[in-house]
Amino acid sequence: MSDSKQQNSRRDFLKTSSLALGSFFIVPRHVLGKGYIAPSDKLNIAAIGAGGKGQSDIINAYNNGASNIVALCDVDWGRTKGTFEKFPNAKKYRDFRVMLQEMSKDIDAVTISTPDHFHAYAAMQCMQMGKHVYVQKPLTHNIAEARMLTKAARKYKVVTQMGNQGSSNPAQNTAIKWFDEGKIGAVHTVNIWTNRPVWPQGIPVPTDKPPLIESMSPKDWDTWVGPAQWVDYHPLYHPFKWRGWWNFGTGALGDIGCHTIDSAFRILGLGYPTEVECSVGAVFIKDWTPEYIPEGCPPSSHVEIKFPATKKNKSAMKMIWMDGGIRPMHPDLIPANEAISNDGGANGIILTGTKGIMTIGMYGNDPKIYLNSGEKIEAPKVTPTDVKPLPEYGHQVSWTEACKAGYDSKAHKALTSSFDYSGPLTETVLMGNLAIRSYMLRKKNEKGNFDFYGRNKLIWNGGDMKITNFDDANQFVGREYREGWKIADV
């Protein structure tokens, strides 16, 4: 078969196939016979971000050969050795724009596992080229970008998934079933907490200029900064520590909120919130003088977000978020010597209703109910089988299956975190960050001292994507992009 005919055959397969391919992922390929998927009929996937979390995302999407990995892109090849060795035949790139240009006809779908500030820029370019996308959480760096990507997925008719893998955890179905059965009644309060940040945060902005690491060139660093405002390289930004700086990251909320808030969002059928208010931890290096570091995320925060009643939950409710190791006190319904979550209390969710409470662990694991009557309900234990479960609950694999089935297919609609869902979820997560950044706004008063004038309750109009009672907060709905890196609206 000629290359052009082979290419057309693969394209036709990807557009029209709606087969249930799950068995191909479990049964060894050598015993499949006629069921074997020819290389020309596999999904061709590229990765933007191939180190760190990008490595597991692309390996899970590869699914032991069920998909083709055709290209890998990362600006820092010092962190990609394992991925490059796993896929020696994939073409290697440092700039994803070059990769997309050179391989536009050979790529069907892309995993995007970069720092937060790069998600929307990369995803938008891929979607505009008709590529399906898997984007790590949080979906975007700010609320405006989340709304933009949600609309773009529909406009360009591509299959999407955000990387909050706990949304594919079957344990979530148990929690949803319990709530839908009315076991805990109408929920009025949700407590969510995390031990993050587990990286330096609330620290002064670095002012020294260490040399760029050997695995990156100045051009690579320029690409890494991308749409963010320019800063020189520093090890407090790359790798991993970018999470604690607003220029690149989204703090503890962005890191864990899409995992934990997801459970409450899904169970209660939440939409746009109506109000948000916060307080944050202070850092003292000098006596009586708190540090003022608006460039960095705080060491801890307490955020309260309010929602109206929904079709699923007939009560208005408030969601209380805590990070930095701060957590809620033991509810009376949980025995004093019993941990309030399944990881010793480090991270967790508590939904408080009129009939009792439901607790849920990280990634939707281990749901439990404590009723006002004193009864405790636990999820049934899963019986081990001979079939090895897919990594991360098959979150990446379900996306690849949906890509093959096509936009608006049954497999696409079954995805647990397509942008139709994860876009609004991300907006709620980032609403907390909007409040935190507003909390740090200050200006000098007549006495020469500073007034922190943004420390109020903020009223949100979700449809218009706007704070209605404090306009200065709206600067944090979106961001200013560096010249040449603006994200095209849809």
Side-chain angles (χ1 to χ4, degrees):
M1 182 183 293
S2 68
D3 290 344
S4 60
K5 289 183 178 180
Q6 186 180 50
Q7 184 73 8
N8 289 335
S9 172
R10 187 175 64 81
R11 297 294 178 191
D12 291 341
F13 171 84
L14 294 171
K15 288 179 180 178
T16 61
S17 174
S18 58
L19 296 175
L21 298 173
S23 60
F24 295 151
F25 302 138
I26 298 172
V27 182
R29 287 187 296 155
H30 70 273
V31 301
L32 288 175
K34 293 182 179 180
Y36 172 73
I37 304 174
S40 61
D41 289 335
K42 293 183 181 181
L43 195 70
N44 280 357
I45 306 177
I48 302 173
K53 186 58 182 170
Q55 180 175 12
S56 61
D57 282 342
I58 197 65
I59 288 175
N60 291 345
Y62 171 65
N63 190 27
N64 297 313
S67 298
N68 292 324
I69 307 305
V70 297
L72 301 170
C73 179
D74 202 293
V75 293
D76 185 358
W77 286 15
R79 293 173 50 78
T80 59
K81 181 181 178 182
T83 317
F84 284 1
E85 290 177 350
K86 176 75 174 178
F87 305 108
N89 296 324
K91 292 186 178 181
K92 316 299 190 293
Y93 292 88
R94 291 183 177 272
D95 190 323
F96 86 97
R97 295 166 298 184
V98 177
M99 177 184 76
L100 291 178
Q101 183 178 20
E102 292 185 358
M103 300 192 65
S104 61
K105 296 181 180 179
D106 301 309
I107 295 172
D108 303 307
V110 184
T111 61
I112 300 171
S113 313
T114 65
D116 300 347
H117 72 288
F118 215 89
H119 289 179
Y121 185 84
M124 183 61 78
Q125 290 208 21
C126 291
M127 289 193 291
Q128 288 172 339
M129 297 178 68
K131 312 304 179 187
H132 308 298
V133 291
Y134 179 100
V135 183
Q136 257 307 318
K137 54 79 194 167
L139 182 59
T140 59
H141 181 265
N142 56 68
I143 294 169
E145 291 176 346
R147 188 73 60 91
M148 197 184 303
L149 291 197
T150 303
K151 292 179 179 179
R154 298 167 186 159
K155 177 179 180 178
Y156 299 112
K157 300 186 184 305
V158 294
V159 176
T160 58
Q161 181 95 304
M162 182 174 75
N164 57 330
Q165 64 271 20
S167 67
S168 292
N169 185 354
Q172 293 251 37
N173 297 330
T174 299
I176 293 169
K177 179 175 180 290
W178 283 345
F179 177 77
D180 290 349
E181 291 172 346
K183 291 191 183 301
I184 62 171
V187 170
H188 54 79
T189 305
V190 176
N191 286 97
I192 303 175
W193 69 97
T194 181
N195 62 348
R196 267 67 163 182
V198 292
W199 51 83
Q201 195 162 292
I203 60 174
V205 177
T207 56
D208 59 321
K209 295 184 179 181
L212 185 62
I213 53 177
E214 293 182 359
S215 55
M216 296 179 73
S217 69
K219 183 179 179 181
D220 294 330
W221 179 248
D222 182 86
T223 303
W224 188 95
V225 174
Q229 296 305 305
W230 175 261
V231 294
D232 292 315
Y233 163 80
H234 199 282
L236 283 175
Y237 301 136
H238 172 74
F240 185 66
K241 297 177 180 61
W242 51 264
R243 290 188 178 278
W245 304 101
W246 294 124
N247 200 24
F248 308 119
T250 50
L253 263 162
D255 183 49
I256 295 300
C258 288
H259 291 310
T260 51
I261 292 176
D262 168 54
S263 293
F265 205 85
R266 190 179 304 274
I267 291 168
L268 303 177
L270 299 180
Y272 296 138
T274 55
E275 302 176 13
V276 62
E277 190 171 6
C278 78
S279 62
V280 305
V283 176
F284 286 82
I285 296 176
K286 299 177 182 177
D287 294 347
W288 300 102
T289 307
E291 292 295 303
Y292 181 64
I293 313 169
E295 301 89 347
C297 310
S300 60
S301 69
H302 177 281
V303 179
E304 183 173 290
I305 305 175
K306 292 187 177 180
F307 297 84
T310 69
K311 291 181 179 179
K312 293 194 67 179
N313 188 53
K314 305 305 181 183
S315 170
M317 57 146 291
K318 60 182 178 182
M319 178 183 293
I320 301 169
W321 165 275
M322 301 178 185
D323 60 45
I326 307 300
R327 69 182 198 185
M329 298 300 103
H330 237 82
D332 291 338
L333 292 176
I334 298 181
N337 293 329
E338 186 174 332
I340 59 175
S341 66
N342 64 346
D343 59 358
N347 308 272
I349 309 156
I350 299 175
L351 288 79
T352 303
T354 54
K355 298 179 182 179
I357 64 174
M358 184 190 303
T359 66
I360 306 171
M362 183 77 87
Y363 309 119
N365 277 317
D366 199 26
K368 298 184 179 71
I369 284 179
Y370 302 82
L371 296 176
N372 295 343
S373 63
E375 180 186 0
K376 179 181 178 182
I377 303 174
E378 297 186 71
K381 300 298 181 182
V382 177
T383 303
T385 67
D386 294 333
V387 179
K388 185 178 180 180
L390 291 168
E392 297 191 348
Y393 317 107
H395 196 59
Q396 296 88 354
V397 170
S398 63
W399 168 70
T400 63
E401 290 185 26
C403 291
K404 294 174 182 179
Y407 180 81
D408 214 28
S409 64
K410 183 178 179 180
H412 179 204
K413 292 177 180 178
L415 290 177
T416 58
S417 204
S418 71
F419 292 180
D420 281 330
Y421 172 82
S422 58
L425 168 63
T426 298
E427 289 189 35
T428 292
V429 171
L430 299 179
M431 178 62 60
N433 283 343
L434 181 150
I436 291 170
R437 300 190 73 179
S438 299
Y439 186 89
M440 297 307 297
L441 290 174
R442 70 180 188 178
K443 59 185 176 183
K444 278 191 176 182
N445 57 30
E446 295 177 352
K447 297 180 180 179
N449 299 319
F450 286 102
D451 291 330
F452 287 86
Y453 66 104
R455 297 184 176 182
N456 305 305
K457 179 186 292 184
L458 303 177
I459 309 301
W460 179 245
N461 181 322
D464 292 340
M465 208 163 50
K466 184 178 182 180
I467 296 293
T468 60
N469 66 323
F470 180 56
D471 193 53
D472 281 6
N474 288 309
Q475 65 184 290
F476 305 119
V477 173
R479 75 175 303 165
E480 290 187 10
Y481 297 104
R482 191 159 63 106
E483 185 176 355
W485 289 87
K486 184 177 180 180
I487 299 173
D489 203 346
V490 293

